[in-house]
Each structure stands twice: as C-alpha cells, then as structure tokens.
Amino acid sequence: AQTVTQSQPEMSVQEAETVTLSCTYDTSENNYYLFWYKQPPSRQMILVIRQEAYKQQNATENRFSVNFQKAAKSFSLKISDSQLGDTAMYFCAFMKGGNQFYFGTGTSLTVIP
Amino acid sequence: EPEVTQTPSHQVTQMGQEVILRCVPISNHLYFYWYRQILGQKVEFLVSFYNNEISEKSEIFDDQFSVERPDGSNFTLKIRSTKLEDSAMYFCASSVRTQAKHTGELFFGEGSRLTVL
C-alpha cells in the first residue's frame, strides 16, 4: 500500500523568507509521480508542482522547488520569498500511474506579514 | 479559465437519508474522481470514472455509494443511506489523459461539505 506522511500539521513563515515543507512516502513502485497541491482558504486545491520519479533533476516552478530524494522516499517543498498569498493548506500526493492519488494529511502554512 | 464546479457547497441531512452531490467537470476532461476529507484527516480516494464506468474504487466506496454521468456534463455521487461517519468534505476532480502518459494534474472543485445529523 502507498502511504504519504506529512509530519508538520502547521507551519508559519515571515513574508519574504523561505520555508520548507516535508513529505515522505512509502511505496514499492519504481515509477510514480509526486505532487504538491495548495488549497487556499475556501478555495479548491490547485497543483503547485509535479515530479516524475524517473527524473533525477528536482522540479522548480518560479518560487517553488522540490528536494526529491528517491532512495530516502522524501519529497520536500521549498517556498522562497514567501508571499501572503502562499497562506494555504499544502498537500503532498503520490500517484503510481493509475488513476488513484494518495494524499498526506496536509500542512497548514501561514505567511506572517 | 475553466474550472470544476460542485453543488451544493454545504448540505445537512438526517442519518439514513439519500444525498446526491453534483459536479460539472472541465468539458474536455476524460477522467472524473471523487475524493473525501473527513475533518482533520487526509484526503481519501473514493472512485475514478472513465468512459462511463468505474475504473477504480477504494474500500470506502461500498454499496451505499454510486456514481453516474447522467447527461454528459454532470458527474454525481449518490450516498443511499447516509451514516454519521459520512460527514466530510467531498471533492470532485477531473483530469485529461495525454496519449503519452498521464499529465498527473487533477483539477479539483471547491468541495461539498456534507453534515449528517
């Protein structure tokens, strides 16, 4: 079975600072996809960043980047130059190539002005 | 920008009643999903739907649940006889599958909050 663990239920960061959200997962698969989704208050979840497991290079999207450690089964999200609009619940998710996504319990991030 | 829409945003029902949650996926998407999130817990997969049939379902998706795409645009989740433990936020999602590989992106609705009393 696939499991995704986010060990930080809540985090906060000063505006313009950098924060890292942790995620670990457990799988016996070799090919899979990892994602970070963001859910702002009262809004739908949107994709932040995606990583294919076969790619060694860490994905980046503007201020968002990941540290993907396949052997350690770790997939952390780094947010640089944090902005107030980054305040949201962040979910780490895993997909092995079928249609089923496995989500973590989420990390609530608050950006403090 | 096209988005997934869900109705109702909040429904309160009595235990044992039937509930239908509605979703309008993005029009060119082929895969449809229902997920749920019980308060304080992780988002859990319920079911995926493709080509007018269920393609995968979890153990949560028992005989009390059913899905339907009645008219080519709506995608519904029915709970026949609600239980207290069905209280949760239900998220609809859709995705488009490329020929090469799954793009991996789910587009979510804002969710329907179901409260069973």
Side-chain angles (χ1 to χ4, degrees):
Chain A
Q2 277 65 228
T3 59
V4 178
T5 302
Q6 293 178 250
S7 59
Q8 305 151 314
E10 293 181 358
M11 293 190 73
S12 61
V13 62
Q14 289 290 138
E15 195 175 3
E17 296 294 309
T18 295
V19 65
T20 299
L21 280 57
S22 301
C23 174
T24 58
Y25 58 94
D26 187 25
T27 184
S28 57
E29 302 287 332
N30 192 46
N31 295 318
Y32 49 88
Y33 302 86
L34 294 161
F35 310 87
W36 279 97
Y37 277 84
K38 167 185 175 180
Q39 185 181 31
S42 302
R43 298 295 308 277
Q44 59 261 65
M45 276 191 279
I46 55 174
L47 180 68
V48 174
I49 198 165
R50 172 178 60 235
Q51 174 83 41
E52 290 92 339
Y54 64 85
K55 289 186 178 178
Q56 292 184 333
Q57 187 173 6
N58 288 325
T60 62
E61 280 293 336
N62 301 315
R63 297 182 296 107
F64 298 87
S65 62
V66 299
N67 183 6
F68 173 48
Q69 302 287 329
K70 190 173 184 180
K73 296 180 182 174
S74 170
F75 182 62
S76 60
L77 174 70
K78 185 171 82 170
I79 306 173
S80 304
D81 185 25
S82 297
Q83 300 175 0
L84 296 179
D86 295 334
T87 292
M89 183 71 84
Y90 288 81
F91 293 97
C92 178
F94 168 98
M95 187 190 73
K96 63 179 179 178
N99 297 314
Q100 185 170 160
F101 281 63
Y102 299 85
F103 286 85
T105 50
T107 297
S108 177
L109 177 68
T110 301
V111 179
I112 301 166
Chain B
E1 188 172 328
E3 58 181 32
V4 177
T5 58
Q6 290 185 241
T7 54
S9 57
H10 189 193
Q11 182 158 355
V12 181
T13 190
Q14 294 290 326
M15 191 169 58
Q17 295 296 303
E18 177 182 283
V19 161
I20 297 175
L21 305 178
R22 291 182 169 79
C23 170
V24 179
I26 295 173
S27 61
N28 65 333
H29 285 188
L30 301 177
Y31 285 85
F32 314 112
Y33 311 81
W34 283 101
Y35 283 79
R36 79 172 184 189
Q37 185 181 26
I38 296 171
L39 189 63
Q41 299 184 25
K42 61 177 64 179
V43 177
E44 301 172 293
F45 171 78
L46 293 178
V47 66
S48 61
F49 191 86
Y50 171 71
N51 199 26
N52 285 320
E53 60 183 23
I54 291 173
S55 53
E56 273 187 85
K57 61 181 181 179
S58 70
E59 58 271 15
I60 302 169
F61 195 87
D62 61 22
D63 292 344
Q64 292 299 311
F65 291 89
S66 62
V67 288
E68 202 175 37
R69 195 147 190 256
D71 56 12
S73 61
N74 288 285
F75 178 53
T76 62
L77 174 70
K78 183 194 289 186
I79 310 174
R80 279 191 196 82
S81 178
T82 50
K83 303 187 284 287
L84 295 177
E85 54 265 37
D86 293 329
S87 293
M89 181 73 89
Y90 288 81
F91 294 102
C92 175
S94 67
S95 69
V96 60
R97 191 180 188 105
T98 64
Q99 282 189 334
K101 61 183 178 184
H102 200 294
T103 63
E105 182 168 2
L106 290 185
F107 292 81
F108 285 88
E110 292 190 11
S112 293
R113 181 167 295 285
L114 176 65
T115 302
V116 182
L117 302 176

